Amino acid sequence: LFTVPQMIENKNLSIINCWLGYKDTLCKIRFDPSHNLFNSVTGSNLFQIFRPEYADHLYLDPIIFHKNTSLIDIENIDQEKFPLFHKAPSEFVILNPSDLLFI
């Protein structure tokens, strides 16, 4: 039996993305306008989560099909090209197998 957590029970959840992850996956920084569920299937997954008001610090791609994806290479951050990125506060979350994250 599934029950909706109290913190989200009064929110409009008409659009939800569901992502499944496995160990050693690296994804680009992204900003999604809808809610997301992420399930860690195998291994652990590390998330760096930014508040929506800092979206401009993430340097989102201006191309319409990529507009929610950052131009930043997370493994090699160019601080001269993306100076605001390090000023965006964030939280880190580690998901272990079978954990589910609601964003």
Side-chain angles (χ1 to χ4, degrees):
L1 176 68
F2 175 79
T3 58
V4 176
Q6 186 176 5
M7 65 183 249
I8 62 171
E9 111 185 328
N10 293 324
K11 297 193 184 228
N12 180 3
L13 300 177
S14 59
I15 299 174
I16 297 178
N17 296 314
C18 183
W19 304 92
L20 301 175
Y22 50 93
K23 69 177 185 166
D24 301 327
T25 300
L26 179 65
C27 297
K28 286 186 154 265
I29 297 169
R30 48 186 298 116
F31 177 82
D32 289 322
S34 58
H35 295 289
N36 287 274
L37 290 171
F38 184 91
N39 177 243
S40 183
V41 179
T42 63
S44 296
N45 292 272
L46 174 67
F47 277 82
Q48 185 174 9
I49 300 174
F50 300 88
R51 297 178 58 91
E53 57 264 30
Y54 291 97
D56 62 328
H57 289 54
L58 304 181
Y59 298 91
L60 301 174
D61 195 327
I63 297 173
I64 192 73
F65 297 112
H66 301 152
K67 67 181 181 177
N68 67 338
T69 304
S70 176
L71 297 169
I72 298 169
D73 175 357
I74 197 65
E75 292 185 300
N76 187 24
I77 301 168
D78 184 337
Q79 293 183 1
E80 288 184 24
K81 192 173 180 181
F82 307 112
L84 295 177
F85 177 71
H86 289 290
K87 295 180 181 180
S90 63
E91 298 289 332
F92 288 91
V93 176
I94 296 174
L95 295 182
N96 293 306
S98 78
D99 285 347
L100 183 69
L101 176 65
F102 173 77
I103 306 171

